[in-house]
Each structure stands twice: as C-alpha cells, then as structure tokens.
Amino acid sequence: MESSISRTNLNCISLSDPDTQKSVELLKQACLDSGFFYVVDHGISQELMDDVFAQSKKFFDLPTNEKMKLLRDEKNRGYTPMLDEILDPENQVNGDYKEGYYIGVEVPADDPQANRPFYGPNQWPSDEVLPRWREVMEKYHSEALRVAKSVARIIALALNLEEDFFDRPEMLGEPIATLRLLHYEGQVSNPSKGIYGAGAHSDYGLITLLATDDVVGLQICKDRNAQPQVWEYVAPVKGGFIVNLGDMLERWSNCIFRSTLHRVVLDGRERYSIAFFVEPSHDCIVECLPTCKSESNPPKFPPITCSAYLSQRYKDTHADLTAYSSNKA
C-alpha cells in the first residue's frame, strides 16, 4: 500500500557560504530528518557538468554489442546492462530498468594496491569510439571527490567531531570513490506490479553525490517502517547535487544520522543521472563514533572493515557475472 506522492522539501547547503555554522545546522537538520539535502555553489563548472552528461549519453547510445565489450568485471568497473541490478528483490519482478557504467579509482594492474577489492584499472571505451571520454570522466571524478570531501567536513562538524576527521589517510585520504553513469530507458514504472526504474534501496557507503537531468524520478521514503509507506519526489536541481547519506554513515553515527530508502519511478521519459559514491579506505574500521554513544545509547553494531562491508553489499545486489559469460564474445 502506498499513499499519494507529493514533492519533498530539502535543505540547501551552499559550499561558498562563509557562515559555516549555518551550513552545519542546515546539514544536521537534514541528516536527522531524511539524510537527503541539496549542495550548490560547489565549484564544478556548468560546462563540465554538461560535458559529462553529453559524454554519458554518447556511451549509452552505442550499439549493445559495443557496450557489452566493456561489461563490468570482478572489480565492478565497466558496463552494467538493463536488469543487471535488483535492489529490492522482495518487490521487484525483473530488476532495475536502467543501464550503468562504473568508474572507480584508477590504479594500474601492476600496482600492489590493485590487489584490493575496489582498486584497479578502469575499463575505458577506445578513443576511436569515444574521443575525450576518459579525459572528461577522470576530470569529473577528481572534481566530485573534492566536493565530497568538503561535504564530509561539514558532516564531521555536525557530528561534533574535528572538521578534518574524515580527511585522515584511513578515511578519505585513500578513498573508495566510484562514479556511476546511469541511463533509464523511457518506460513507465508500475510499483503495484513491481516495475521500477530502480528498486527501493539505501546506499551502501558514506555519502552519495547525485547529479540529474531535469526529468523527475527520484523518490524518498523517510520512514521505511510506516504502513503505508509514504514516498515523496525529490525535485532535480540544475547544476547542483542531491546528496544523501549511506548506510555506513548511519552505522558510524549509531543511527543518529539517517540513511533513507529511495527509488526511481519513471513516467515514460528517458532519464540520465550521474551518481558519485564515496566511501573511506579499504582498511578503515567502521565503528561507533565517540560522539554518538553513551551509557543510554551504546553501540548498535560491531566494528567492520569498509572493504568487507562493501564487498558483501555489492554481491547481494548484482547479477552473477557468469550469467553473461555466453554473450561476452
């Protein structure tokens, strides 16, 4: 059962605002309420944002056999076909009606760091097929990481931590940062029949920066336990980011900050979005923050390494790669 869907109001945080305390208060209120907020004035030019969307469209416009040459590997780099991911198996019939492309931290194959689960070489379309594509994506990856670190400093202050808490090497000094291009085909979603652009889920990591085109589709549910669940649309913001907290930060904050259920419901129009998922280093121990526990509120989760946690979450939601072995010729 679902009630009628309205549009939600989110706090908007300007990264150029000199009043840090105001930003901290706005972010804290958002994180206690829904874990979603807007970020604007982030320093990434509109020109670059437009270029990334244009290059993304060029890739998804390629013939399927060209895209399948870049099928995601065991490091989750590369192309994810339509229906590859099923985020809400209890309520979805097939899978997500979206295709995607993962780009992570570029580490050469002969580098010892490439042995880590989420580090390694990316897969890139050839320059003959898509000139400048790699250059644009690497520039955006770098810029988005800079923005994410700025947001993480405000989050640290909102949790009564030192401002540079997340800047340390074991945190975002050596991050797992993944850019994911997304294309939703022009299909009409039907939640009552289990058909979604993206099934209901919460993100795995620390924070997600989402840039979207102007097609509405993202919905959030602030209380996943409510019956019926109340879903609200999140309006796109031109040139800005929709930012949300992931499960790892909810776990870190002992559930004080919220990681909220969200999904994509389509109205028949094509939709493009670009997600940037930010997590700490592989070896980072995610355990209750000192400012988030007390005698009356002891830690709710045992400590876990970031890489162990993420590896399990990816495995739970993506199709087994052997399912594609017959058609990656």
Side-chain angles (χ1 to χ4, degrees):
M1 269 294 287
E2 294 179 4
S3 63
S4 61
I5 293 169
S6 60
R7 196 169 278 211
T8 192
N9 291 313
L10 299 181
N11 285 352
C12 187
I13 292 150
S14 167
L15 293 187
S16 66
D17 192 336
D19 187 349
T20 306
Q21 194 50 43
K22 176 184 162 192
S23 297
V24 169
E25 289 304 320
L26 282 170
L27 181 140
K28 190 170 189 173
Q29 184 184 39
C31 294
L32 293 169
D33 174 46
S34 69
F36 271 78
F37 50 93
Y38 294 119
V39 165
V40 296
D41 304 324
H42 44 63
I44 300 180
S45 70
Q46 189 61 50
E47 182 184 13
L48 178 56
M49 299 286 275
D50 291 344
D51 206 0
V52 176
F53 274 95
Q55 296 293 338
S56 171
K57 186 175 188 308
K58 282 182 182 176
F59 173 79
F60 291 121
D61 282 347
L62 292 174
T64 301
N65 65 328
E66 279 291 327
K67 292 184 284 193
M68 288 301 285
K69 289 176 186 174
L70 296 160
L71 181 70
R72 68 179 169 88
D73 56 23
E74 66 284 349
K75 298 267 189 180
N76 275 304
R77 305 295 178 92
Y79 177 60
T80 54
M82 209 66 73
L83 306 179
D84 175 80
E85 193 172 12
I86 181 156
L87 290 166
D88 185 14
E90 287 183 23
N91 295 304
Q92 279 180 274
V93 175
N94 296 315
D96 289 359
Y97 282 88
K98 70 177 192 291
E99 52 183 345
Y101 201 94
Y102 282 116
I103 300 165
V105 175
E106 179 73 27
V107 176
D110 58 0
D111 188 313
Q113 289 273 58
N115 293 321
R116 295 175 162 238
F118 295 95
Y119 276 1
N122 285 300
Q123 299 197 72
W124 300 107
S126 71
D127 279 343
E128 291 74 41
V129 176
L130 291 175
R132 288 185 58 248
W133 202 85
R134 175 174 180 171
E135 175 194 336
V136 170
M137 294 306 160
E138 289 191 322
K139 184 176 182 186
Y140 183 80
H141 191 287
S142 164
E143 287 284 290
L145 182 57
R146 174 187 58 77
V147 174
K149 287 180 177 180
S150 297
V151 174
R153 289 181 196 115
I154 303 174
I155 290 172
L157 292 171
L159 287 167
N160 299 315
L161 300 163
E162 292 294 320
E163 185 176 12
D164 63 355
F165 179 84
F166 292 111
D167 287 331
R168 292 181 293 175
E170 69 273 22
M171 300 276 184
L172 297 181
E174 295 178 356
I176 299 169
T178 306
L179 176 60
R180 194 178 189 197
L181 313 173
L182 292 163
H183 170 230
Y184 296 87
E185 66 174 21
Q187 194 202 33
V188 178
S189 298
N190 188 336
S192 67
K193 293 187 176 174
I195 298 170
Y196 301 89
H201 65 286
S202 51
D203 290 348
Y204 318 148
L206 190 66
I207 55 172
T208 304
L209 273 55
L210 182 73
T212 73
D213 61 13
D214 57 2
V215 177
V216 174
L218 178 66
Q219 296 179 349
I220 66 173
C221 173
K222 292 179 184 176
D223 182 359
R224 67 178 69 203
N225 297 316
Q227 290 298 331
Q229 286 184 335
V230 177
W231 290 91
E232 299 172 279
Y233 275 109
V234 176
V237 56
K238 175 76 172 171
F241 288 111
I242 299 165
V243 180
N244 65 282
L245 310 184
D247 296 343
M248 198 179 290
L249 188 55
E250 182 174 272
R251 184 179 180 127
W252 232 329
S253 70
N254 215 21
C255 297
I256 292 172
F257 278 5
R258 305 276 309 282
S259 173
T260 292
L261 213 54
H262 52 285
R263 68 187 187 186
V264 174
V265 173
L266 304 166
D267 63 4
R269 288 179 291 171
E270 270 189 302
R271 180 175 180 268
Y272 291 87
S273 66
I274 298 167
F276 189 71
F277 302 103
V278 183
E279 285 93 31
S281 75
H282 284 76
D283 299 329
C284 181
I285 305 290
V286 179
E287 60 183 332
C288 185
L289 295 166
T291 56
C292 298
K293 60 186 176 184
S294 64
E295 278 189 31
S296 59
N297 187 27
K300 295 177 172 64
F301 308 97
I304 188 171
T305 66
C306 177
S307 64
Y309 178 77
L310 285 178
S311 294
Q312 189 56 52
R313 293 295 300 270
Y314 272 92
K315 194 176 167 205
D316 288 346
T317 55
H318 287 74
D320 189 326
L321 281 171
T322 56
Y324 298 110
S325 56
S326 60
N327 56 16
K328 195 187 181 186

